[in-house]
Amino acid sequence: QPRGFLPPVSFARILLSSRSADLTATCPCGGWMSVLSIRAVESSLFRASTSFVHPLPSTACYRPSVANFKPPAVGNTRRNFGHSFGRSRAGFVRANTLTLFSIISSKMATSSNLPFDPSTGSLDTKIHVPLDRSKLADISKVPEHLTPTVLVSCGSFSPPTVMHLRIFETARDYFRSMKAVHKLEIVGGFISPVHNAYGKASLVAAEDRVAMCKASLENSDWVLCDEWETKQNEWTRTRLVLDRFKNELNQDKALNGGREVKVLLLCGADILDSMTKPGVWIESDLREFLANGLACLKRSGSEPEVTIFEHDVLYDYRHSIYIIREPVENHVSSTAVRRAIKRGQSIKYLVMDGVESIIKKRKLWQE
């Protein structure tokens, strides 16, 4: 993540009627669906494993807009729905990957039996946690022609790696070099670990992730770990997280020398790509924080400029999306670190020493 993504689950089932195009989805985890990797099909029952998320209320019915779609009959016919379906033997159908897009609607979301409503929400219902401003620069000293700006990175941080830290330094360097153009001055940064309810399989307890993030930032003089997301009673959408930072930073203008502090979401190109996937982000949320601004780190192999050009919502806000190239390529990821831990390999220099100590002491990902 990052992500703003809706929480994934471990598996789901799809019932595909052999006589119609109805897809009836059920899930024991409250009705959350995602991109589905179909492993086997026996008659009309599809047993599916999941990766990224698309929301769908339990027992909701989805009718794909494919005219006269039916499962392939015995023979050599092949029909295409998302990906190809092929014949196996009588009574069986094999499927590679079935991608369900454009499933969610606001009415479907509000009828979900989740402990929160993924399409609405208010900071008024959230638990208040004071914002630590101890590492913020003196905002009153920011020149009048520049806008004091805070960078916020949301995600799992399971565990936080050196790459998570590097993007802050790279982004600040970029805005320093582009002051004359963007007129922004970075006065602080925050890492915001996601709530446990995000449900990602590799997600360790929030207290462990917060401890690792704080250990990572011990030597940083301008980036802090904020626990607000993890202290809530439920998972919180990214837009509300950013709104909370904006409110906390600007509720007492006296602390800012009377200045308004701008909040920018800091993310990688993969998060920008996810914003083009139907059902992953709520469009009104995207429009709200894209209008305020987004800093996107570009890595080799990613083409955020193309992504922006090809997606209408992103294109509408192209002037407030700052594309930042990482001058020193770094492909360290939390996934790679977890893999190394499980294989008994060294993770030194992939994470900060304090993080490595916590992982060893608490035996994280070692079972």
Side-chain angles (χ1 to χ4, degrees):
Q1 193 62 221
R3 283 273 6 182
F5 292 109
L6 299 174
V9 294
S10 58
F11 68 90
R13 291 181 178 178
I14 291 182
L15 181 64
L16 175 62
S17 169
S18 61
R19 295 184 180 181
S20 73
D22 290 356
L23 290 174
T24 302
T26 62
C27 174
C29 299
W32 293 93
M33 298 292 297
S34 73
V35 175
L36 304 169
S37 297
I38 308 302
R39 298 301 181 191
V41 180
E42 181 175 357
S43 298
S44 59
L45 182 63
F46 284 51
R47 193 174 294 273
S49 65
T50 66
S51 53
F52 295 112
V53 39
H54 297 277
L56 184 67
S58 295
T59 68
C61 182
Y62 167 64
R63 288 179 169 80
S65 56
V66 180
N68 302 318
F69 172 78
K70 293 181 181 179
V74 175
N76 293 323
T77 59
R78 294 177 68 86
R79 297 175 185 266
N80 199 8
F81 178 72
H83 291 270
S84 61
F85 281 59
R87 176 181 63 85
S88 177
R89 61 179 184 272
F92 286 82
V93 177
R94 290 187 60 84
N96 290 327
T97 304
L98 172 62
T99 306
L100 301 181
F101 289 133
S102 303
I103 299 177
I104 186 171
S105 68
S106 58
K107 290 183 180 180
M108 294 171 69
T110 55
S111 66
S112 174
N113 59 350
L114 296 167
F116 58 90
D117 186 339
S119 65
T120 62
S122 168
L123 291 177
D124 296 335
T125 63
K126 298 294 184 179
I127 299 170
H128 180 259
V129 178
L131 183 68
D132 184 357
R133 301 171 60 108
S134 61
K135 292 185 180 181
L136 291 183
D138 187 345
I139 298 171
S140 65
K141 295 182 178 179
V142 176
E144 285 295 327
H145 70 286
L146 300 177
T147 300
T149 303
V150 163
L151 300 174
V152 175
S153 178
C154 300
S156 300
F157 304 104
S158 190
T161 71
V162 292
M163 185 58 185
H164 290 127
L165 310 181
R166 273 300 309 167
I167 65 173
F168 278 92
E169 299 296 327
T170 301
R172 185 170 66 166
D173 286 346
Y174 168 81
F175 286 111
R176 279 176 172 171
S177 68
M178 299 292 286
K179 276 185 182 181
V181 177
H182 301 314
K183 307 223 177 337
L184 302 178
E185 180 160 322
I186 305 303
V187 296
F190 291 92
I191 281 178
S192 182
V194 75
H195 192 276
N196 286 335
Y198 184 64
K200 192 175 181 180
S202 59
L203 205 66
V204 295
E207 62 180 274
D208 293 325
R209 290 181 288 115
V210 168
M212 289 187 287
C213 287
K214 289 184 175 181
S216 291
L217 298 170
E218 282 182 355
N219 295 324
S220 174
D221 61 358
W222 69 284
V223 183
L224 287 155
C225 174
D226 182 70
E227 301 181 54
W228 181 81
E229 275 196 77
T230 66
K231 297 290 186 182
Q232 302 308 308
N233 293 323
E234 68 283 313
W235 168 83
T236 303
R237 299 188 343 261
T238 301
R239 197 211 81 201
L240 290 182
V241 175
L242 297 175
D243 285 350
R244 181 260 177 174
F245 274 106
K246 185 176 181 179
N247 290 350
E248 287 289 319
L249 288 166
N250 293 295
Q251 65 180 353
D252 187 350
K253 293 290 183 63
L255 295 175
N256 304 337
R259 308 288 298 280
E260 178 87 9
V261 178
K262 185 182 186 70
V263 177
L264 286 184
L265 177 65
L266 177 63
C267 68
D270 56 331
I271 301 302
L272 191 72
D273 288 340
S274 75
M275 294 177 184
T276 69
K277 305 297 189 295
V280 178
W281 294 81
I282 298 171
E283 184 175 324
S284 59
D285 282 6
L286 281 181
R287 290 188 177 279
E288 182 166 327
F289 65 70
L290 286 174
N292 187 65
L294 180 147
C296 175
L297 268 291
K298 178 178 180 178
R299 301 168 71 178
S300 63
S302 65
E303 294 294 340
E305 296 91 349
V306 175
T307 300
I308 293 169
F309 180 78
E310 294 180 346
H311 189 266
D312 289 341
V313 174
L314 296 181
Y315 186 78
D316 286 346
Y317 299 96
R318 62 193 180 280
H319 298 303
S320 60
I321 301 175
Y322 307 97
I323 305 300
I324 305 169
R325 176 171 289 281
E326 174 61 71
V328 179
E329 288 294 333
N330 185 336
H331 296 285
V332 176
S333 68
S334 296
T335 300
V337 172
R338 293 193 302 270
R339 183 188 304 122
I341 294 170
K342 291 177 181 178
R343 295 177 180 179
Q345 298 170 345
S346 171
I347 59 171
K348 197 170 187 62
Y349 309 122
L350 300 180
V351 298
M352 301 298 284
D353 289 344
V355 174
E356 184 179 19
S357 297
I358 291 172
I359 290 172
K360 289 180 177 179
K361 182 178 180 180
R362 303 187 185 187
K363 301 185 184 305
L364 303 178
W365 302 288
Q366 295 178 30
E367 297 179 356

